[in-house]
Amino acid sequence: MPIKLGVRELIEFTLRTGDLGTTSNSQNTALLGARIHRRLQKQRGADYKKEYYLDKTLTLNDNEYLLHGRADGVTLTDGQASIEEIKTSETVFANLSTNTLTLYWGQVKLYAYLLMDHESDLDQVTLTLTYFQTNTETTTQTDQTITRQEAQAFFDKVIDEYVTWLKFRSDLRERRDPTIQQLTFPFGHYRPGQRELAVAVYKTILTNKRLFAEAPTGTGKTISTLFPTIKAIGEGVIQRIFYLTAKQSTRSVAEEALDLMASQGLLLKSITLTAKAKITFPEEADLLPEENPYMLGYYDRLKPALLDLIQNNDQLTRPVIETYARKHTLDPFEFQLDASLFCDVIIGDYNYLFDPQVHLQRFFTTEDPDNFFLIDEAHNLVSRSRDMYSAELTTRPLDQLIEQSRELDQATPKLRRRLQDLRATFSDIAAPLLADGRDDSTFLTPPEAIDHDLGRLVEAIHDWLVDQPHTPFTQAILDYYFAAISYQRIGDYYDDTYRMRLTIADGNITLKQLCLDPSAFLSDSLALGHGAVLFSATLSPMDYYQRVLGGDEDSLAYQLTSPFKPQHQAIFVTNYIQTTYKQRDANLANILLAIKTLVDGKTGNYLIFLPSYHYLLDVSQAFSMAYPHLKTVVQQAQMAEADRAAFLENFTPNPDSTLVGFALLGGIFAEGIDLKADRLIGVGVVSVGLPGINPETDLLRDYFDQQSHQGFAFAYQLPGLNNVFQAAGRLIRGSKDVGIILLMDQRFSSPRYTHLYPQHWQHFQRLYRPEQLTSAVHNFWHPEVS
């Protein structure tokens, strides 16, 4: 299959010069541009063919490419031809930069070359650039004629420039592949289950499948998935790996695995993508693009910088990117994205593939069988993906904008009117709710009046922003503008897997497009590559995760057993403790005693997880009052990175006194932390972790009930139990780790839960009285005297 190469991509890579991120580009929107394109295309004659597809197969640097694209309009009559390219922006045509015009004309010239390549009787083509200025609705048309010889010369010039970079990329691969072929597993031996997982991953790649793999903590999931996938690159099956995850800590583990293989001779380019808010230089924060030295002339300096970066580094981590960005005065966020085109492994957040609003367009516009996806900690993708495909609008910022606009000459009458129209429509749709004395409503279809008025407001803001000074009001308008565009974009996905939510709180009206089941969207994203492995320590029950994470009929499932000895970990269920909301107060004394019994078994560090922050405070405060001699540390509601590090530093190796930590189930310390050996010897979990009952989760329950699934399980039970599995997984991190998991809720011993336990939890013990717990803890730590 030839490698796809878009006309626009080719032109922009070879011909782009000048600045990055001009105001006009950032404020123009694809939605508005598409509407204008359709409007202008409808005005053309009967011979006009819109969205005219053109392609040509090329052999470049010994590889086959399909150069392709869609011209906005083509007219073919009596041996004559014309091609129209439509562009939209709010900038006055006369003020367009030379490079912008070069890119515009370059695109249509390349279409002319492709058209004449298909139509052998054509000797020349008329090119029309139609420029629509959005704020004034002014159209400027410019024509030129290109002959077959001129089109050929232009094509040769562009391809010669591109081949230079193809040769550079090819040289990198020729350097890379022999080192992959010589690479052996970087450890002296496989842990139990590692070889089997690696083989399953490799077979998945060979068969173009999706694999859902549960590999308990300690299996070595990262190296067991990366190693065979890299080997597949060396065999030419794929060319690029996307290692995607939800947390920075797991990205670091992937970096460490690549570093380990590099120390054994692997020569492979990898990059870790960092969020814009984190990698942007501090001095850029308050600068407009047209004032930012890291954006001005960006494309003039980019190619030498890329050569410098890539020729001198294999692992492009954040510090490396920042160093070279400063050296060449380039915006580091955009620089890393441009550098990723030359990398074999791209490490980053889920949203780079799955989020419809921020995914990497340079990779995921069309299907590319060279790409393979490794999705780490895949259980996190369930809730993350629902958020990605949901969007909401609220009236509070709208009210503030209306109030400010009354006092500022900066706001035009049209802008004020559009803001007020949208606010009035919000009030109209909320009126029946208020009349009934309710504050919450759900319905199936988006209100047409909101969509209409929101569209008019977006266009009004778009026009108003031209040449506006950067003021707090301008920024507030921009913030709402982007929220409105986000809402519109999600509206394009709205189908029967969505519900509309209308809520009112303290006078603030919120309208939300709530995605209940994004599995089809996830499946579409996964289909953009050669295949995928979605893996985690907790993917039980497997059929649930395959259903909600975009598994198809051919998806594979693989579950490994724990590599550690069962006797290293005891699992005790206190059948005498009830933690339902009504029973919590009555069971507090038993909970405190159970925790005390757990920590009395052996001096060391313990973590106790609770399902809500309010409950966490109640239990931790009561425990400190009951046992003031025991040292405790409690997770705070808001913790910066330094605060999190300080919390974990309390869990020291070889402690001479006991520490009891209290943390939130499903929170920042319930997964992604690695307290090895005696830094943690006991974990307690209070309650089965059910999410709090709320209207949105109830909608999720009802939806899956209608889909012939277990609605309560999908909405409440399984997400809660996954949080329990994750928290318990903090305990045994290595082959020599030993400890106790204490499950404080009688529901943990009911068949509804026990049948969902992974294999390495099947040896759990039910305890019916506090004294049984005392004996069990003692016997675990002192088996020789039991």
Side-chain angles (χ1 to χ4, degrees):
M1 181 180 292
I3 302 168
K4 290 185 177 180
L5 175 61
V7 166
R8 183 170 180 174
E9 171 193 343
L10 176 61
I11 290 297
E12 291 195 350
F13 185 82
T14 54
L15 300 183
R16 185 182 286 278
T17 60
D19 304 337
L20 167 71
T22 63
T23 304
S24 61
N25 286 338
S26 65
Q27 291 174 5
N28 199 13
T29 72
L31 286 171
L32 181 59
R35 286 198 293 267
I36 294 168
H37 273 65
R38 290 193 293 270
R39 186 200 311 175
L40 294 176
Q41 287 168 334
K42 287 180 180 178
Q43 298 172 2
R44 305 304 182 240
D47 295 325
Y48 184 89
K49 299 176 181 179
K50 66 180 181 179
E51 305 300 325
Y52 194 91
Y53 182 78
L54 294 159
D55 65 10
K56 179 180 176 64
T57 301
L58 309 170
T59 300
L60 305 175
N61 204 42
D62 299 326
N63 287 309
E64 196 172 75
Y65 288 80
L66 180 68
L67 178 62
H68 68 103
R70 291 187 183 276
D72 291 326
V74 170
T75 303
L76 289 167
T77 54
D78 300 327
Q80 296 184 346
S82 64
I83 300 177
E84 180 181 37
E85 182 65 21
I86 302 170
K87 298 297 182 183
T88 63
S89 171
E90 68 271 15
T91 303
V92 176
F93 181 78
N95 294 338
L96 291 175
S97 69
T98 300
N99 183 244
T100 297
L101 289 171
T102 298
L103 296 176
Y104 288 173
W105 283 116
Q107 197 170 336
V108 72
K109 286 178 182 178
L110 209 49
Y111 286 140
Y113 168 81
L114 293 175
L115 182 63
M116 285 189 275
D117 185 68
H118 280 258
E119 306 288 339
S120 58
D121 60 329
L122 290 178
D123 293 323
Q124 65 179 30
V125 174
T126 299
L127 312 179
T128 300
L129 175 61
T130 300
Y131 180 78
F132 187 92
Q133 187 179 336
T134 53
N135 56 317
T136 62
E137 300 202 355
T138 301
T139 301
T140 303
Q141 280 195 331
T142 310
D143 296 327
Q144 51 178 272
T145 300
I146 189 169
T147 65
R148 178 176 291 273
Q149 293 76 18
E150 290 169 339
Q152 182 71 54
F154 177 78
F155 171 79
D156 291 341
K157 175 186 173 184
V158 170
I159 290 299
D160 287 347
E161 168 73 10
Y162 194 66
V163 165
T164 300
W165 288 89
L166 288 180
K167 179 66 167 60
F168 177 58
R169 184 155 28 190
S170 176
D171 289 346
L172 292 176
R173 291 178 177 177
E174 288 180 10
R175 168 183 178 265
R176 174 199 71 189
D177 288 350
T179 71
I180 295 177
Q181 293 156 8
Q182 296 163 13
L183 182 69
T184 58
F185 192 70
F187 296 100
H189 64 280
Y190 286 92
R191 293 180 188 174
Q194 272 191 317
R195 182 188 293 275
E196 293 83 354
L197 177 57
V199 170
V201 170
Y202 193 76
K203 288 181 177 178
T204 300
I205 299 169
L206 293 182
T207 55
N208 291 59
K209 302 287 188 182
R210 297 174 195 171
L211 171 67
F212 290 77
E214 180 178 74
T217 299
T219 306
K221 299 183 292 295
T222 303
I223 196 67
S224 300
T225 53
L226 266 175
F227 175 72
T229 315
I230 289 171
K231 294 296 282 186
I233 289 180
E235 297 297 323
V237 184
I238 56 174
Q239 291 296 335
R240 186 182 293 111
I241 301 166
F242 287 87
Y243 190 101
L244 305 174
T245 185
K247 291 183 168 59
Q248 184 62 47
S249 57
T250 40
R251 281 167 236 163
S252 299
V253 174
E255 289 178 350
E256 291 166 4
L258 291 169
D259 191 47
L260 176 62
M261 288 183 275
S263 70
Q264 301 189 358
L266 177 64
L267 298 176
L268 171 145
K269 302 292 180 185
S270 68
I271 189 168
T272 303
L273 299 179
T274 305
K276 187 171 186 176
K278 291 186 176 181
I279 200 172
T280 300
F281 292 139
E283 59 269 33
E284 293 185 84
D286 298 323
L287 294 178
L288 296 174
E290 54 267 32
E291 299 171 350
N292 188 336
Y294 296 97
M295 293 185 174
L296 294 172
Y298 175 91
Y299 290 105
D300 299 329
R301 301 184 297 275
L302 175 60
K303 291 176 182 176
L306 286 173
L307 286 173
D308 190 15
L309 171 71
I310 293 167
Q311 287 176 334
N312 292 295
N313 301 274
D314 283 338
Q315 283 191 261
L316 310 183
T317 58
R318 175 180 171 180
V320 172
I321 292 291
E322 289 176 333
T323 297
Y324 281 80
R326 284 198 180 279
K327 178 181 178 181
H328 293 275
T329 319
L330 296 172
D331 176 75
F333 177 74
E334 293 292 337
F335 185 43
Q336 67 174 351
L337 297 181
D338 287 319
S340 68
L341 291 168
F342 298 91
C343 292
D344 310 298
V345 180
I346 298 172
I347 303 169
D349 189 88
Y350 296 147
N351 59 17
Y352 290 118
L353 171 62
F354 296 110
D355 194 321
Q357 309 213 53
V358 299
H359 72 273
L360 297 176
Q361 292 188 9
R362 65 195 70 206
F363 291 113
F364 304 132
T365 301
T366 59
E367 181 181 343
D368 187 345
D370 281 343
N371 295 333
F372 193 82
F373 307 126
L374 296 177
I375 314 299
D376 196 359
E377 303 290 357
H379 63 275
N380 283 309
L381 187 56
V382 179
S383 60
R384 277 284 302 274
S385 60
R386 289 192 186 112
D387 291 340
M388 290 174 187
Y389 283 90
S390 299
E392 67 179 31
L393 280 176
T394 67
T395 58
R396 180 154 293 150
L398 190 58
D399 290 336
Q400 293 169 349
L401 289 173
I402 292 170
E403 184 64 30
Q404 293 173 38
S405 69
R406 293 191 182 106
E407 304 170 359
L408 294 172
D409 293 337
Q410 187 181 357
T412 61
K414 181 180 179 180
L415 178 62
R416 293 191 189 100
R417 189 166 59 252
R418 295 291 180 255
L419 291 169
Q420 291 165 354
D421 287 347
L422 180 61
R423 183 61 178 86
T425 302
F426 264 108
S427 296
D428 289 344
I429 65 170
L433 203 61
L434 292 169
D436 291 342
R438 295 184 296 137
D439 59 11
D440 186 296
S441 178
T442 300
F443 40 98
L444 292 176
T445 57
E448 291 184 6
I450 287 286
D451 291 343
H452 175 264
D453 287 336
L454 188 64
R456 294 206 304 172
L457 175 60
V458 165
E459 291 194 25
I461 294 175
H462 183 273
D463 296 345
W464 175 84
L465 283 170
V466 179
D467 300 324
Q468 288 295 324
H470 189 69
T471 67
F473 180 68
T474 305
Q475 186 58 54
I477 286 284
L478 270 173
D479 291 343
Y480 203 77
Y481 176 65
F482 291 134
I485 290 174
S486 174
Y487 183 91
Q488 288 181 315
R489 286 175 177 164
I490 293 302
D492 290 340
Y493 295 89
Y494 198 98
D495 59 15
D496 59 5
T497 67
Y498 278 80
R499 298 292 182 271
M500 292 301 305
R501 292 263 297 136
L502 181 66
T503 57
I504 305 172
D506 299 325
N508 185 39
I509 304 170
T510 299
L511 186 64
K512 183 174 184 178
Q513 300 174 110
L514 175 65
C515 182
L516 300 174
D517 182 11
S519 57
F521 305 134
L522 297 180
S523 182
D524 290 344
S525 294
L526 293 173
L528 293 172
H530 182 93
V533 177
L534 298 92
F535 57 101
S536 172
T538 54
L539 283 184
S540 293
M542 184 64 75
D543 57 351
Y544 160 72
Y545 283 100
Q546 288 180 292
R547 166 63 181 84
V548 298
L549 290 179
D552 53 28
E553 293 181 358
D554 296 329
S555 293
L556 308 173
Y558 191 75
Q559 291 178 288
L560 278 74
T561 58
S562 173
F564 306 129
K565 296 178 181 179
Q567 59 266 34
H568 282 194
Q569 176 177 272
I571 302 175
F572 300 144
V573 178
T574 57
N575 231 41
Y576 54 89
I577 290 178
Q578 298 181 48
T579 67
T580 57
Y581 190 77
K582 292 181 179 179
Q583 297 292 332
R584 284 181 180 179
D585 290 343
N587 281 262
L588 180 59
N590 275 337
I591 292 170
L592 300 181
L593 181 58
I595 297 171
K596 179 65 163 50
T597 303
L598 171 67
V599 305
D600 277 351
K602 183 178 180 180
T603 298
N605 301 321
Y606 297 82
L607 261 176
I608 310 300
F609 292 95
L610 294 106
S612 71
Y613 189 66
H614 183 269
Y615 196 17
L616 183 153
L617 291 180
D618 286 347
V619 173
S620 61
Q621 290 170 2
F623 186 85
S624 295
M625 291 179 64
Y627 309 108
H629 63 285
L630 286 173
K631 180 183 177 183
T632 61
V633 58
V634 181
Q635 177 180 340
Q636 301 303 307
Q638 301 293 331
M639 300 182 78
E641 284 192 30
D643 299 323
R644 299 177 192 180
F647 180 92
L648 295 175
E649 285 171 3
N650 288 287
F651 295 80
T652 58
N654 306 311
D656 54 14
S657 63
T658 288
L659 171 72
V660 185
F662 290 89
L664 189 63
L665 191 64
I668 54 177
F669 300 116
E671 61 177 295
I673 64 169
D674 204 13
L675 299 173
K676 292 182 178 179
D678 60 0
R679 290 189 67 192
L680 187 67
I681 64 169
V683 167
V685 179
V686 181
S687 93
V688 292
L690 296 179
I693 295 175
N694 65 82
E696 289 193 1
T697 312
D698 282 348
L699 286 174
L700 197 61
R701 177 199 61 201
D702 296 343
Y703 171 83
F704 281 109
D705 274 340
Q706 293 166 8
Q707 299 294 312
S708 300
H709 292 284
Q710 296 175 303
F712 177 78
F714 274 36
Y716 286 100
Q717 183 187 14
L718 295 173
L721 192 56
N722 182 271
N723 288 337
V724 172
F725 290 154
Q726 285 293 317
R730 299 314 94 208
L731 183 61
I732 303 296
R733 312 296 296 176
S735 59
K736 296 181 180 180
D737 293 5
V738 179
I740 296 174
I741 296 171
L742 179 61
L743 304 176
M744 290 170 273
D745 191 313
Q746 66 178 16
R747 287 173 290 183
F748 279 119
S749 64
S750 70
R752 188 171 194 170
Y753 283 88
T754 58
H755 86 277
L756 298 172
Y757 287 177
Q759 182 62 38
H760 61 284
W761 274 40
Q762 295 305 315
H763 65 287
F764 73 92
Q765 298 178 53
R766 293 181 177 91
L767 304 173
Y768 296 91
R769 298 184 305 277
E771 53 268 29
Q772 286 186 311
L773 177 59
T774 302
S775 298
V777 171
H778 179 271
N779 292 341
F780 177 79
W781 290 119
H782 306 285
E784 69 283 355
V785 296
S786 59

